[in-house]
Amino acid sequence: MKVYNSQARFEEAARLGKQVLSIYSSAIGLHGRQQDSRTLGDVGAVLANGGSLDEGEELLRKALQLNWGLERDSMPGTLSSRRSLAAILGKKGNLAESERHLLEILGEQEARLYPQHDEILTTKLYLSGLYEQRKRSKDAEKLFLPVIEGQLKLY
């Protein structure tokens, strides 16, 4: 599923993701384990990448509910699911809620990770794109340039 997704074969990834979720939930059931929320989050992100925004959003919200109920709201997988949800919200035009999520995620990541961590750079890139959508070019540039500089330092 993730391989298809990374190859931009979104239709195949979405089909496989739905199969995985169906088999997983019927064989094991969704009981709030960390793996349950990760599976829901992964499939939700894949569906959203394939254009099924509503379905992806629904699965990501379920994944987040499982994590919040078990006080795993700041775990890396949860933050990644929240970032995927923020991307969906942005695509659907809910820019204010998307920005709120991204700023919260960035704050939590900056408190826990080193400044050039991939997760922080990715969140800044998402937030930069959102600022561009909102016609806030100066804010976008402030975030985007350090991301590029951070990536260049890695090579």
Side-chain angles (χ1 to χ4, degrees):
M1 174 179 77
K2 286 186 176 184
V3 171
Y4 286 151
N5 196 43
S6 68
Q7 295 173 347
R9 295 167 62 185
F10 300 124
E11 213 170 276
E12 291 161 296
R15 182 182 44 76
L16 186 58
K18 287 179 182 180
Q19 288 176 345
V20 165
L21 190 57
S22 174
I23 292 167
Y24 185 87
S25 59
S26 64
I28 300 170
L30 298 172
H31 303 290
R33 296 178 302 260
Q34 184 176 353
Q35 185 59 41
D36 297 342
S37 62
R38 186 175 300 133
T39 300
L40 284 169
D42 288 349
V43 174
V46 166
L47 290 174
N49 284 341
S52 300
L53 298 179
D54 291 336
E55 202 171 1
E57 180 182 356
E58 180 183 341
L59 290 179
L60 284 162
R61 288 192 187 276
K62 283 182 185 177
L64 292 170
Q65 284 176 341
L66 287 175
N67 282 335
W68 286 326
L70 297 171
E71 298 181 6
R72 293 192 297 246
D73 56 328
S74 62
M75 292 179 64
T78 304
L79 296 176
S80 179
S81 291
R82 283 183 68 195
R83 190 175 55 221
S84 294
L85 176 61
I88 290 171
L89 294 169
K91 288 177 185 176
K92 292 174 77 174
N94 193 341
L95 303 180
E97 186 178 358
S98 179
E99 181 178 358
R100 182 181 56 79
H101 279 288
L102 290 171
L103 289 171
E104 288 173 5
I105 293 162
L106 184 59
E108 291 178 35
Q109 289 172 330
E110 288 178 334
R112 291 176 172 77
L113 305 170
Y114 61 91
Q116 299 303 319
H117 193 283
D118 283 349
E119 291 294 320
I120 289 176
L121 298 176
T122 300
T123 301
K124 285 182 175 182
L125 192 59
Y126 276 50
L127 192 54
S128 174
L130 179 76
Y131 286 156
E132 273 299 317
Q133 277 184 282
R134 299 189 87 178
K135 309 290 187 233
R136 292 169 54 186
S137 298
K138 295 272 187 217
D139 291 330
E141 187 176 324
K142 283 181 199 173
L143 284 173
F144 185 73
L145 291 178
V147 169
I148 296 302
E149 291 167 2
Q151 288 295 335
L152 291 175
K153 286 180 185 177
L154 296 174
Y155 298 101

